């Protein structure tokens, strides 16, 4: 038997094949798009704090990944036998096929999304929290754009799987590519030629979408996003007159008998602390003494087990009741500007966008005004000329200065710093400390966890030392100077 080339070429123009190809493409794309959206929601549900939601998502994924698609297809198609009201939809092979495919694929796509979501650093969630971004905004603007980059290659792969799985839909007599081929070769017995044509049409669908997806991947590639330096005026850390500093009697933040446990470990044991307006408080102490926990409880990154925290004279955080549900929670959290040890800039946004994001999200001011204000904050930290760059183009010290500008853009009452220079190379520490010092001179209220002892003695109005979850020393700069050289705090400062 000879291979019939003429017959094969004639199949290139066979209208039923083209109709079937369009159908497969359409079915594949619809399944993929709907499954990708539902799968994302399911992946979020799997990470939910609510146990029943988590349980539902887990069970769904387990069940529909275990069930063969063929079984599901026949099941869905025949469901109207029990529920005749479903007949108008489920007795149509296309809809029955689509529904079965979506049900099954959502389970797989959810796991792909979960991989993407897990890959986004926890610091991104924390940075969003510090800017007062609500969950929907956080996922939309910060988490999803980063997660999707990781998930995209696997999502694309799943599209190919879906296209191939559509061949199973022929069992419920939907005229997709394979079924058209089968109908041909059962009449003319030219099985090989017909299957070559069938393969060609499948490969065509997959290749066209493969091309589209690889384009999309390139567009979303952060490493390819670059911005040039620009000429901007006043690219120096501005110095305010030394007379500007004054500590007032007004209390901005007060911790009242705060306790925090992590299992058996007591991270904070009955900590009370008041910070006045304009005051710069340095927090020092050995590693593991509770400094980070202390600062994270103040801006609600960490719940507390006992006590309460007052902000601007009003109730803010308490161990009882769910203060997070308060209508103004996300606005009040922006009263506290937070700077993290690991910067936590948003990698998919330019420097300028990192700074404008918070104010824009909270809807304050028009675009031009926001931009101008952000450029002002960037100039303040000496980063205006880098406004168009992306975080991956910056040094650690530059990133941290942008992070400070981002926090300042929310016009906070008080700035919280958690070891802002610990992740930096020694030669970059100075530029960040200089910025913090200039903020101190301008009268900004600040709580700074740091190991830089020379900086502590230069800028702090007060030094608080922690040990094993307790505040073991709390004294003004003058008291510190007057304290005996062999006191605990002086000894610790000398070691540091
Ligand atoms: P510091 O910042 O002073 O080094 P931390 O506040 O980070 O100390 O930690 C205080 C103590 O609480 C440490 O013993 C640490 O191991 C523990 N701890 C902190 N965060 C957690 C957590 N999320 N889960 C369990 N233990 C934690
Ligand atoms: Mg720490």
């Amino acid at each position: 038997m000879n291979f019939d080339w003429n017959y094969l070429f004639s199949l290139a123009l066979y209208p039923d094949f083209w109709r079937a190809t369009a159908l497969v493409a359409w079915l594949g794309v619809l399944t993929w798009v709907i499954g990708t959206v539902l799968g994302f929601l399911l992946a979020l549900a799997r990470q939910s704090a609510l146990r029943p939601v988590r349980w539902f998502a887990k069970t769904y994924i387990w069940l529909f990944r275990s069930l063969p698609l063929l079984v599901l297809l026949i099941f869905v198609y025949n469901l109207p036998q029990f529920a005749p009201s479903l007949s108008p939809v489920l007795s149509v092979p296309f809809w029955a096929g689509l529904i079965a495919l979506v049900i099954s694929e959502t389970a797989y796509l959810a796991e792909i999304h979960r991989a993407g979501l897990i890959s986004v650093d926890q610091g991104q969630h924390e940075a969003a929290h510090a800017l007062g971004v609500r969950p929907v905004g956080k996922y939309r603007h910060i988490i999803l754009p980063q997660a999707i980059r990781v998930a995209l290659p696997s999502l694309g792969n799943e599209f190919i799987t879906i296209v191939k799985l559509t061949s199973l839909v022929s069992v419920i007599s939907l005229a997709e590519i394979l079924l058209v081929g089968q109908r041909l070769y059962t009449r003319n017995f030219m099985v090989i030629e017909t299957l070559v044509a069938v393969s060609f049409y499948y490969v065509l669908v997959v290749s066209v979408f493969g091309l589209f997806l690889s384009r999309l991947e390139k567009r979303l590639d952060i490493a390819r996003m670059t911005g040039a330096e620009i000429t901007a005026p006043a690219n120096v850390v501005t110095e305010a007159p030394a007379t500007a500093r004054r500590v007032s009697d007004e209390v901005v933040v007060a911790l009242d008998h705060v306790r925090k446990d992590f299992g058996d470990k007591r991270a904070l044991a009955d900590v009370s602390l008041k910070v006045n307006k304009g005051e710069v408080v340095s927090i020092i102490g050995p590693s593991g003494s509770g400094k980070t926990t202390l600062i994270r409880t103040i801006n609600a990154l960490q719940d507390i087990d006992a006590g309460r925290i007052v902000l601007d004279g009003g109730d803010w955080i308490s161990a009882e009741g769910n203060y997070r549900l308060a209508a103004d929670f996300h606005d009040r959290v922006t009263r506290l500007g937070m700077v993290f040890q690991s910067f936590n800039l948003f990698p998919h946004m330019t420097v300028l966008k990192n700074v404008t994001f918070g104010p824009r999200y909270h809807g304050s001011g028009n675009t031009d005004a926001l931009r101008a204000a952000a450029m002002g904050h960037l100039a303040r930290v000496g980063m205006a000329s880098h406004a168009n760059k992306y975080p991956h183009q910056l040094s650690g010290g530059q990133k941290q200065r942008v992070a400070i500008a981002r926090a300042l853009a929310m016009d906070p009452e008080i700035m919280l710093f958690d070891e802002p220079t610990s992740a930096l190379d020694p030669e970059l520490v100075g530029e960040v400390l200089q910025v913090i010092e200039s903020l101190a001179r301008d009268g900004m209220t600040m709580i700074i966890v740091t190991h830089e002892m020379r900086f502590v003695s230069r800028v702090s109005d007060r030094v608080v030392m922690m040990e094993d979850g307790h505040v073991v020393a709390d004294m003004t700069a003058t008291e510190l100077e007057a304290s005996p050289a062999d006191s605990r705090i002086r000894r610790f400062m000398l070691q540091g």
Side-chain angles (χ1 to χ4, degrees), residues 291-292 418-419:
K291 307 180 298 292
T292 295
D418 186 12
E419 303 204 26

Coordinates of all heavy atoms in Angstrom, one line a residue, residues 291-292 418-419, ligand 2:
K291 N 13.2 42.4 69.5 CA 13.2 43.7 68.9 C 12.3 43.8 67.7 O 11.4 44.7 67.5 CB 14.6 44.2 68.5 CG 15.6 44.1 69.6 CD 17.0 44.5 69.2 CE 17.6 43.7 68.1 NZ 17.9 42.3 68.5
T292 N 12.5 42.8 66.8 CA 11.7 42.8 65.6 C 10.2 42.5 65.9 O 9.3 43.2 65.4 CB 12.1 41.6 64.7 OG1 13.5 41.9 64.2 CG2 11.2 41.4 63.4
D418 N 13.3 48.4 61.1 CA 13.8 47.2 61.6 C 15.2 46.9 61.0 O 15.3 46.3 59.9 CB 12.8 46.0 61.4 CG 13.3 44.8 62.1 OD1 14.2 44.9 63.0 OD2 12.7 43.7 61.9
E419 N 16.2 47.2 61.7 CA 17.6 46.9 61.2 C 17.8 47.3 59.8 O 18.1 46.5 58.9 CB 18.0 45.5 61.4 CG 17.9 45.1 62.9 CD 18.7 43.9 63.3 OE1 19.8 43.7 62.6 OE2 18.4 43.2 64.2
Ligands
LIG2 MG1 15.2 41.2 64.4

